[in-house]
Amino acid sequence: MDRIELKALGKINLGIDVLGRRENGYHDVRMVMQTVYLYDLITIKKRRAPGIGVETNLYYLPTNENNLAYRAAKLLKDEFHIKEGVSIRLDKHIPVAAGMAGGSSNAAAVLFGMNRMFELGLTMKELMDRGVMLGADVPYCIMRGTVLAEGIGEILTPLAPMPRCFVLLAKPPVAVSTKLVYEKLDSREIDDHPDIDGIIDGLKEENLLRITASMGNVLEGVTIEEYPVINEIKSTMKQYGALNAMMSGSGPTVFGIFDDRNQARTAAQKIKAAQLAKQVYVVNIHNARRK
Ligand code: ATP
């Protein structure tokens, strides 16, 4: 196999709770992760020249070791003494620095793809153990589906799949630093913890209303203080039929859960017309796990 093409899917968080901060700056979290059908297309090719080449359609992304896809390739090349060079093409569609794990999903795809391409024989668990060295969300991006993520995000428990629904994603044109959001969170008391168990029970009961009513993100308040546009997008989504709407990850992407695709489309048009966000997508959820 000299070439492999992979879809690196983005995620949303149906719930994020932060339980504490570790000495090393990482946080103990309790998150419900959900893969959505919005993806970057990753093409990996073997090449004559040694080393790793990365190219992307987004001029502002790094193509050196600061790119997570590069780092994933380097990790496997070093460990398995792979002499052949690889070139990696990233066709990015997942909004960048948006709370949708774009970089992590690219790293996950490269680990998964190179394991196949070079017949390294790593199990999913072994791939995830390597993934966490690149980022806390990478193991989840390898697994995919509806998952409870604990520890720093790497202790994964598969959950009952999200019932049929439509997801409206809207990324306002502001840049959010995950690190700064967590730092601000550390400086305050968390007195309102989201109902993660309610989400899990709702999933078990296949009860979309219970799931959406239990959604919550402890990081939301921090980011909204800085970017009130997030609240405007949430309100617009709810006004036009979202069962609930919330910020994903550390933001600024907002997602709304709809049981009606046309309502999601109407809400999307309203958000664009009001110029609250340019990057607006109606997508399906993606429940299949990688095997
Ligand atoms: P998370 O939800 O895990 O916090 P995110 O969606 O907020 O992730 P990313 O899209 O992963 O954030 O990008 C964060 C930063 O990582 C960007 O500013 C970018 O420069 C850098 N980066 C490195 N590699 C990539 C990649 N392959 N794709 C996107 N960003 C990357």
Side-chain angles (χ1 to χ4, degrees), residues 157-178:
T157 311
L159 298 172
M162 181 73 169
R164 182 188 144 85
C165 64
F166 305 95
V167 181
L168 171 56
L169 299 162
K171 194 230 160 216
V174 296
V176 168
S177 153
T178 303

Side-chain angles (χ1 to χ4, degrees), residues 114-272:
M114 282 184 61
N115 186 39
R116 289 242 165 126
M117 205 169 182
F118 293 97
E119 297 175 2
L120 305 178
L122 293 170
T123 61
M124 289 299 280
K125 162 92 176 53
E126 288 167 338
L127 278 181
M128 288 182 212
D129 289 345
R130 282 151 184 85
V132 72
M133 297 178 202
L134 302 167
D137 284 346
V138 178
Y140 165 72
C141 290
I142 295 174
M143 180 185 265
R144 311 211 285 209
T146 316
V147 173
L148 176 68
E150 296 171 291
I152 61 163
E154 88 290 18
I155 303 173
L156 303 178
T157 311
L159 298 172
M162 181 73 169
R164 182 188 144 85
C165 64
F166 305 95
V167 181
L168 171 56
L169 299 162
K171 194 230 160 216
V174 296
V176 168
S177 153
T178 303
K179 192 165 167 277
L180 284 184
V181 171
Y182 272 99
E183 276 170 14
K184 276 202 187 153
L185 185 80
D186 289 336
S187 65
R188 56 181 79 170
E189 284 285 312
I190 303 174
D191 38 34
D192 195 13
H193 287 277
D195 184 9
I196 301 293
D197 290 323
I199 303 174
I200 296 172
D201 290 342
L203 288 163
K204 267 189 222 148
E205 294 161 7
E206 299 178 36
N207 183 340
L208 190 58
L209 288 181
R210 173 140 192 222
I211 298 165
T212 50
S214 307
M215 278 170 23
N217 179 351
V218 83
L219 304 173
E220 204 179 50
V222 177
T223 312
I224 286 179
E225 260 174 33
E226 202 146 335
Y227 301 113
V229 64
I230 292 169
N231 243 348
E232 290 180 59
I233 297 175
K234 284 177 60 168
S235 308
T236 310
M237 287 187 183
K238 289 185 204 167
Q239 186 186 344
Y240 290 95
L243 301 174
N244 204 350
M246 194 176 85
M247 186 180 86
S248 183
S250 50
T253 302
V254 178
F255 67 91
I257 304 284
F258 291 77
D259 54 10
D260 179 308
R261 192 193 290 271
N262 286 330
Q263 281 187 332
R265 288 193 178 131
T266 304
Q269 281 161 6
K270 299 288 176 191
I271 288 166
K272 279 194 214 161

Side-chain angles (χ1 to χ4, degrees), residues 11 13 40 42 54 58 60-62 66-71 90 92 94-107 137 141 176 178 248-253:
K11 61 88 180 153
N13 299 91
D40 296 339
I42 315 288
V54 174
L58 299 181
Y60 51 86
L61 279 187
N66 292 323
N67 194 302
L68 275 175
Y70 182 107
R71 292 234 290 277
L90 311 174
K92 302 277 308 171
I94 303 171
V96 173
M100 292 193 64
S104 304
S105 76
N106 293 180
D137 284 346
C141 290
V176 168
T178 303
S248 183
S250 50
T253 302

Side-chain angles (χ1 to χ4, degrees), residues 1-8 39-47 52-57 67 69-70 73 85-93 105-114 117-118 290:
M1 191 194 283
D2 288 340
R3 180 181 189 279
I4 187 167
E5 218 178 76
L6 303 122
K7 287 175 183 160
Y39 57 85
D40 296 339
L41 202 59
I42 315 288
T43 313
I44 311 173
K45 284 190 212 157
K46 290 183 184 171
R47 66 171 197 190
I52 302 161
V54 174
E55 55 172 47
T56 135
N57 56 324
N67 194 302
Y70 182 107
V86 287
S87 63
I88 303 172
R89 163 91 201 160
L90 311 174
D91 286 302
K92 302 277 308 171
H93 303 286
S105 76
N106 293 180
V110 169
L111 292 178
F112 186 83
M114 282 184 61
M117 205 169 182
F118 293 97
R290 275 212 187 94

